[in-house]
Coordinates of all heavy atoms in Angstrom, one line a residue:
N25 N 0.8 -1.2 0.1 CA 0.0 0.1 0.0 C 0.8 1.3 0.0 O 0.5 2.2 -0.6 CB -1.0 0.0 1.3 CG -2.1 -0.9 1.0 OD1 -2.6 -1.3 -0.1 ND2 -2.8 -1.6 2.0
R26 N 2.0 1.3 0.6 CA 3.0 2.3 0.6 C 3.5 2.5 -0.8 O 3.7 3.6 -1.5 CB 4.1 2.1 1.6 CG 5.0 3.3 1.7 CD 6.1 3.1 2.7 NE 6.8 1.9 2.5 CZ 7.9 1.7 1.7 NH1 8.3 2.8 0.9 NH2 8.5 0.6 1.5
L27 N 4.0 1.3 -1.4 CA 4.7 1.4 -2.7 C 3.8 1.8 -3.8 O 4.3 2.5 -4.7 CB 5.3 0.0 -2.9 CG 6.8 -0.2 -2.3 CD1 7.2 -1.6 -2.5 CD2 7.8 0.7 -3.0
K28 N 2.6 1.3 -3.8 CA 1.7 1.7 -4.9 C 1.5 3.2 -5.2 O 1.3 3.8 -6.1 CB 0.4 0.9 -4.9 CG -0.6 1.4 -3.8 CD -1.8 0.6 -3.8 CE -2.8 1.0 -2.6 NZ -4.1 0.0 -2.6
K29 N 1.6 3.9 -3.9 CA 1.4 5.4 -3.9 C 2.7 5.9 -4.4 O 2.7 6.8 -5.3 CB 1.2 5.9 -2.5 CG -0.2 5.4 -2.0 CD -0.4 5.9 -0.5 CE -1.8 5.5 0.0 NZ -2.0 5.9 1.4
E30 N 3.8 5.3 -4.0 CA 5.1 5.9 -4.6 C 5.3 5.8 -6.0 O 5.9 6.5 -6.7 CB 6.2 5.1 -3.7 CG 7.5 5.7 -4.0 CD 8.7 4.9 -3.3 OE1 8.3 4.4 -2.1 OE2 9.9 4.7 -3.7
R31 N 4.7 4.6 -6.5 CA 4.8 4.3 -8.0 C 3.8 4.9 -8.7 O 3.8 4.8 -10.0 CB 4.8 2.8 -8.2 CG 6.0 1.8 -7.7 CD 7.2 2.2 -8.5 NE 8.2 1.1 -8.5 CZ 9.3 1.0 -9.0 NH1 9.7 2.1 -9.7 NH2 10.2 0.1 -8.8
N32 N 2.8 5.6 -8.1 CA 1.5 6.1 -8.9 C 0.9 5.0 -9.6 O 0.8 4.9 -10.8 CB 2.0 7.2 -9.9 CG 0.7 7.9 -10.4 OD1 -0.3 7.7 -9.8 ND2 0.8 8.5 -11.6
A33 N 0.8 3.9 -8.9 CA 0.1 2.6 -9.5 C -1.2 2.3 -9.0 O -1.5 2.7 -7.7 CB 1.1 1.4 -9.1
V34 N -2.1 1.5 -9.6 CA -3.3 1.2 -9.2 C -3.4 -0.3 -9.2 O -2.8 -0.9 -10.3 CB -4.4 1.8 -10.1 CG1 -4.3 1.4 -11.5 CG2 -5.9 1.5 -9.5
I35 N -3.9 -1.0 -8.2 CA -4.0 -2.5 -8.2 C -5.4 -3.0 -8.5 O -6.4 -2.5 -7.9 CB -3.5 -2.9 -6.8 CG1 -2.0 -2.6 -6.6 CG2 -3.8 -4.4 -6.8 CD1 -1.5 -3.0 -5.2
L36 N -5.5 -3.7 -9.5 CA -6.8 -4.4 -10.0 C -6.8 -5.7 -9.5 O -6.0 -6.5 -9.7 CB -6.9 -4.3 -11.5 CG -7.3 -3.1 -12.1 CD1 -6.5 -1.9 -11.9 CD2 -7.4 -3.2 -13.6
A37 N -7.9 -6.1 -8.8 CA -8.1 -7.5 -8.3 C -9.5 -8.1 -8.8 O -10.6 -7.5 -8.6 CB -8.1 -7.5 -6.8
H38 N -9.4 -9.2 -9.5 CA -10.5 -9.9 -9.9 C -11.3 -10.5 -8.8 O -10.7 -10.7 -7.8 CB -10.2 -11.0 -10.8 CG -11.3 -11.5 -11.7 ND1 -11.8 -12.8 -11.1 CD2 -12.1 -11.2 -12.8 CE1 -12.9 -13.1 -11.9 NE2 -13.0 -12.3 -12.9
N39 N -12.5 -10.7 -8.9 CA -13.5 -11.3 -7.9 C -13.0 -12.7 -7.3 O -13.4 -13.0 -6.2 CB -14.8 -11.4 -8.4 CG -15.5 -10.1 -8.6 OD1 -15.4 -9.3 -7.9 ND2 -16.4 -10.1 -9.8
Y40 N -12.1 -13.2 -8.1 CA -11.5 -14.6 -7.7 C -10.3 -14.5 -6.9 O -9.7 -15.5 -6.5 CB -11.4 -15.5 -8.9 CG -12.5 -15.9 -9.7 CD1 -12.4 -16.4 -11.0 CD2 -13.8 -15.7 -9.2 CE1 -13.6 -16.7 -11.8 CE2 -15.0 -16.2 -10.0 CZ -14.8 -16.5 -11.2 OH -16.0 -16.9 -11.9
Q41 N -9.8 -13.4 -6.6 CA -8.5 -13.3 -5.8 C -8.9 -13.5 -4.4 O -10.0 -13.2 -4.0 CB -7.9 -11.8 -6.1 CG -7.4 -11.5 -7.4 CD -6.2 -12.5 -7.6 OE1 -5.2 -12.4 -7.0 NE2 -6.2 -13.3 -8.7
T42 N -7.8 -13.9 -3.6 CA -8.1 -14.2 -2.2 C -8.3 -13.0 -1.4 O -7.9 -11.8 -1.9 CB -6.8 -14.9 -1.6 OG1 -5.6 -14.1 -2.0 CG2 -6.6 -16.3 -2.3
P43 N -9.1 -13.1 -0.3 CA -9.5 -11.9 0.5 C -8.4 -11.0 0.9 O -8.5 -9.8 0.9 CB -10.1 -12.5 1.8 CG -10.6 -13.8 1.3 CD -9.6 -14.4 0.3
D44 N -7.1 -11.5 1.3 CA -6.0 -10.6 1.6 C -5.7 -9.6 0.4 O -5.3 -8.5 0.7 CB -4.8 -11.4 1.9 CG -4.3 -12.4 0.9 OD1 -5.1 -13.2 0.7 OD2 -3.3 -12.4 0.4
I45 N -5.8 -10.1 -0.8 CA -5.5 -9.2 -1.9 C -6.8 -8.4 -2.2 O -6.8 -7.0 -2.4 CB -5.2 -10.0 -3.2 CG1 -3.9 -10.9 -3.0 CG2 -5.1 -9.1 -4.4 CD1 -3.6 -11.7 -4.0
F46 N -8.0 -9.0 -2.3 CA -9.3 -8.2 -2.5 C -9.6 -7.3 -1.6 O -9.9 -6.1 -2.2 CB -10.3 -9.3 -2.8 CG -11.6 -9.0 -3.2 CD1 -11.8 -9.1 -4.6 CD2 -12.7 -8.4 -2.5 CE1 -13.1 -8.7 -5.2 CE2 -13.8 -7.9 -3.0 CZ -14.1 -8.0 -4.3
H47 N -9.4 -7.4 -0.4 CA -9.8 -6.4 0.5 C -8.7 -5.5 1.1 O -9.1 -4.4 1.7 CB -10.6 -7.1 1.8 CG -11.8 -7.6 1.4 ND1 -13.1 -6.9 1.0 CD2 -12.3 -9.0 1.3 CE1 -14.1 -7.7 0.9 NE2 -13.6 -9.0 1.0
C48 N -7.5 -6.1 1.1 CA -6.4 -5.3 1.7 C -5.5 -4.4 0.8 O -4.8 -3.5 1.4 CB -5.5 -6.3 2.6 SG -6.5 -7.1 3.8
V49 N -5.3 -4.8 -0.4 CA -4.4 -4.0 -1.2 C -5.0 -3.5 -2.5 O -4.5 -2.7 -3.1 CB -3.0 -4.9 -1.6 CG1 -2.3 -5.2 -0.3 CG2 -3.4 -6.0 -2.4
A50 N -6.1 -4.1 -3.0 CA -6.7 -3.8 -4.2 C -7.4 -2.2 -4.2 O -8.0 -1.9 -3.2 CB -7.8 -4.8 -4.7

C-alpha cells in the first residue's frame, strides 16, 4: 500500500482473488 502510492500505481483485483488481496491492497 505504501509502494503503490510511491509508484503512482493502481491495483486491480478480480473477484476470484483471495481476501487478503481483494480487501487489503486492491
Side-chain angles (χ1 to χ4, degrees):
N25 285 330
R26 179 179 60 80
L27 276 170
K28 70 183 181 183
K29 294 178 182 177
E30 183 176 336
R31 288 289 201 188
N32 189 21
V34 61
I35 295 180
L36 278 54
H38 189 267
N39 292 321
Y40 296 162
Q41 289 297 298
T42 51
D44 53 302
I45 295 172
F46 190 90
H47 290 292
C48 298
V49 300

